[in-house]
Amino acid sequence: MLLLIIFCAVPVILYTQFREADAEKRFLLIESVREQGRVVAESLRPLLEQQEVSSLPLLNDEVARFATDQTGVKILFRPTGEYGAESFFFVASQPTIAPTELTEERDRLVERGVFDNLAQSCWGELSMALRHRRPSGEEELLTSITPINTNAGCWAVITTHSTAEFLGTSIDQPYWKTIEVRIAAAIYFAMAIFTIGLFISIWRGLTRFRFLARSIRTGNSGHVSFGNQNRVPELAPVAEEFDRMTLALQDSAESIRLAAEDNAHAFKTPIAIMRQSLEPLRRLVAPEEVRGQRALDVLEVSIDRLDHLVAYARRLEETTAELLDPPRQRISLTEMLERMLAAYADTFASRRLILDARLQPEVSVLAGEDLLETVLENVIDNAVEVSPDGSKIIVELRKVNDRAELSLLDRGPGVPHGELTRIFERYVSLRSQPATNDPAADGGEGSPHMGIGLWIVRRNLQAIGGSVRAENRPDGGLAMVMRFPLAA
């Protein structure tokens, strides 16, 4: 918009300035030629005052002395007692006019209003700048008319100049019609079209970059590169750097995934060995050895916690990799939810929880299967964890515009209003002990005390272009609302 404003404002400002300068130039030129015409008329005055009507045809030879290649003189006469512009007739003219064209020439001068001030009285010197085309087709400029009143009648001495050779083409026409302005305008508009075209091409190139970056982020790009999409040579280095950056991010994500898997396996092996080594130790320590049994219990809990920490570390690294290069495939969220909820059947039964599943059929999203399972497992675990025994959990899945919306509603204690956004931060947990009395519930990868489960949910959803928010239900409990990008 700023570019368009500049391209519109600059020619207006320049045109105004140059037009004013041209007007001043024309004024000086017109004054100069008017003075020249007055000198010619005054030089002819003695001759016209002595001229007998019978010798009028000889006047043309006298007038020829005042005419030049650029300056012409026309003399017309109206006898005493006649009135009106039509009463004037040609007496002399330089350049000469064919006898057959005299009447037409006089009529054209009348139409231009040359004799308007002389129609009633032969008085009043007049300067002008009127373009006049003679019957022969040649164009000239009428610059002044000087009346001379004698006993015989009214003489009108008209001076003319060549528009092409003396005054150019800016007299008696709008300034924008001059050849200079038209050439300048053509050059300016050509430059403006070229500049705007270049601007639009760069803008379109950047728009393609934006769509391609979005496609890469949402996993719809395949192997398309910025360089292949670019059509602007000036953006070629930028496109190449974007391709290098994308490849570097994808390589980094793959390296992080491999490192997470290798590290997890490396830690799991000694943990499993330590866990197995506890069994013979328990058989060796007598039951009445309280300190020995307590030490074994501490070791077992520590090994379990170490196992959980390894699992969480792996999840964190996988989440980081998915943020760099999120997986994308078409997954039926409806079928995955049905499968995962069925796996929780025993947990629901043991806690006497009522499941109200309202799943819209055939809702497919773009995500990675592991990524999606992690999200669903965390939110379902949280809902089960905080729900009182015998309460109801509502799971609702539906399509909303171009998104799939999944809501989990529980009857837990909810979250203080000012903490609704903080629960998605890393290492933030507002829960104390689980609602159940089963001590084993504190184990497992979904341990609620790490403050990392909902953070992973938010990070995973952001990686695939989704979102999550928490709301306190008016009648008690918490609603976890997630949105996923629908698969086309």
Side-chain angles (χ1 to χ4, degrees):
M1 292 301 298
L2 181 60
L3 185 66
L4 291 177
I5 291 174
I6 292 175
F7 272 117
C8 293
V10 168
V12 173
I13 295 173
L14 293 179
Y15 177 81
T16 302
Q17 297 296 323
F18 285 125
R19 183 181 60 181
E20 292 176 357
D22 182 75
E24 183 177 356
K25 172 185 174 182
R26 285 188 294 172
F27 173 77
L28 295 175
L29 290 174
I30 290 174
E31 286 298 310
S32 174
V33 297
R34 185 195 66 81
E35 184 64 21
Q36 183 179 0
R38 188 186 66 80
V39 171
V40 171
E42 292 300 323
S43 299
L44 290 173
R45 180 184 292 274
L47 180 64
L48 296 177
E49 289 178 346
Q50 300 175 4
Q51 189 71 37
E52 296 292 338
V53 176
S54 59
S55 61
L56 288 180
L58 302 177
L59 186 62
N60 198 58
D61 296 335
E62 298 293 333
V63 172
R65 297 189 298 111
F66 299 95
T68 65
D69 293 338
Q70 290 81 28
T71 304
V73 180
K74 302 177 189 292
I75 298 181
L76 291 92
F77 175 72
R78 185 182 66 189
T80 302
E82 300 289 338
Y83 298 97
E86 291 79 4
S87 301
F88 283 92
F89 60 89
F90 267 96
V91 176
S93 176
Q94 287 294 335
T96 58
I97 302 175
T100 56
E101 298 175 351
L102 290 176
T103 302
E104 183 180 357
E105 175 77 355
R106 193 273 314 271
D107 292 341
R108 290 189 178 186
L109 293 176
V110 172
E111 290 177 2
R112 296 301 305 271
V114 174
F115 304 111
D116 288 351
N117 290 345
L118 308 181
Q120 300 299 326
S121 62
C122 189
W123 180 86
E125 182 179 339
L126 178 65
S127 61
M128 54 187 170
L130 297 178
R131 289 181 180 273
H132 172 67
R133 187 175 297 277
R134 296 187 302 199
S136 61
E138 298 179 2
E139 190 179 52
E140 61 185 0
L141 191 68
L142 307 179
T143 54
S144 69
I145 177 171
T146 304
I148 299 177
N149 199 5
T150 63
N151 294 330
C154 178
W155 300 85
V157 180
I158 301 174
T159 56
T160 66
H161 288 82
S162 170
T163 57
E165 296 184 8
F166 187 67
L167 292 179
T169 60
S170 61
I171 301 296
D172 192 35
Q173 68 173 346
Y175 181 58
W176 59 268
K177 285 187 176 181
T178 59
I179 187 64
E180 295 87 354
V181 173
R182 292 188 175 186
I183 293 176
I187 296 174
Y188 183 84
F189 283 123
M191 179 186 68
I193 292 173
F194 174 78
T195 304
I196 294 176
L198 179 61
F199 178 85
I200 292 176
S201 65
I202 294 177
W203 176 74
R204 290 179 62 186
L206 294 177
T207 301
R208 282 193 294 268
F209 281 11
R210 177 166 63 90
F211 285 126
L212 182 57
R214 179 184 300 173
S215 298
I216 293 174
R217 179 174 60 84
T218 57
N220 296 326
S221 63
H223 298 286
V224 180
S225 69
F226 289 94
N228 293 335
Q229 290 289 323
N230 180 47
R231 299 294 183 271
V232 183
E234 291 77 7
L235 294 179
V238 179
E240 294 174 359
E241 291 300 326
F242 270 55
D243 286 335
R244 295 191 186 101
M245 180 183 66
T246 302
L247 292 176
L249 289 175
Q250 292 172 346
D251 292 341
S252 299
E254 185 63 24
S255 298
I256 292 174
R257 289 192 183 99
L258 294 175
E261 185 175 352
D262 293 342
N263 292 336
H265 283 298
F267 282 108
K268 288 286 186 179
T269 300
I271 290 174
I273 294 174
M274 287 188 291
R275 195 186 304 277
Q276 292 174 0
S277 300
L278 284 176
E279 294 302 323
L281 289 176
R282 284 193 180 276
R283 290 194 295 268
L284 293 175
V285 178
E288 60 271 13
E289 292 290 337
V290 179
R291 293 182 61 183
Q293 291 292 337
R294 183 178 299 173
L296 291 175
D297 291 339
V298 171
L299 284 175
E300 186 174 8
V301 171
S302 298
I303 291 173
D304 289 340
R305 188 165 183 80
L306 181 59
D307 194 15
H308 301 329
L309 289 175
V310 171
Y312 274 116
R314 180 176 181 178
R315 281 193 176 187
L316 288 176
E317 291 178 342
E318 289 177 346
T319 300
T320 303
E322 288 167 352
L323 286 175
L324 295 176
D325 185 24
R328 291 291 190 279
Q329 60 188 86
R330 183 185 181 92
I331 298 176
S332 174
L333 186 56
T334 304
E335 295 179 0
M336 179 174 286
L337 270 172
E338 291 174 345
R339 185 173 65 253
M340 295 189 68
L341 291 175
Y344 278 85
D346 293 339
T347 303
F348 278 85
S350 64
R351 296 278 308 282
R352 293 181 291 107
L353 296 174
I354 302 172
L355 174 62
D356 184 2
R358 308 169 185 175
L359 308 182
Q360 183 175 340
E362 299 181 359
V363 177
S364 297
V365 298
L366 283 176
E369 187 171 356
D370 293 338
L371 180 149
L372 204 56
E373 286 181 351
T374 301
V375 170
L376 298 179
E377 181 181 353
N378 275 286
V379 294
I380 295 175
D381 282 342
N382 288 340
V384 171
E385 186 71 32
V386 301
S387 295
D389 292 349
S391 62
K392 178 189 288 189
I393 295 178
I394 300 175
V395 181
E396 183 178 8
L397 175 64
R398 58 175 182 162
K399 293 180 181 179
V400 179
N401 297 327
D402 61 341
R403 297 284 176 176
E405 185 175 278
L406 173 62
S407 303
L408 270 79
L409 295 80
D410 60 56
R411 287 297 183 184
V415 176
H417 182 72
E419 306 291 337
L420 285 173
T421 56
R422 288 193 66 241
I423 62 175
F424 297 103
E425 295 179 6
R426 192 172 182 177
Y427 302 133
V428 174
S429 177
L430 303 180
R431 289 173 291 168
S432 55
Q433 294 297 325
T436 178
N437 294 323
D438 184 5
D442 194 38
E445 291 184 4
S447 174
H449 303 289
M450 297 296 295
I452 201 171
L454 292 181
W455 176 79
I456 291 178
V457 169
R458 185 180 66 175
R459 293 288 296 270
N460 284 1
L461 287 175
Q462 288 177 343
I464 61 174
S467 62
V468 60
R469 71 178 188 275
E471 301 173 352
N472 284 315
R473 300 176 65 184
D475 51 351
L478 188 69
M480 195 72 65
V481 182
M482 293 157 286
R483 288 196 166 189
F484 306 81
L486 282 175

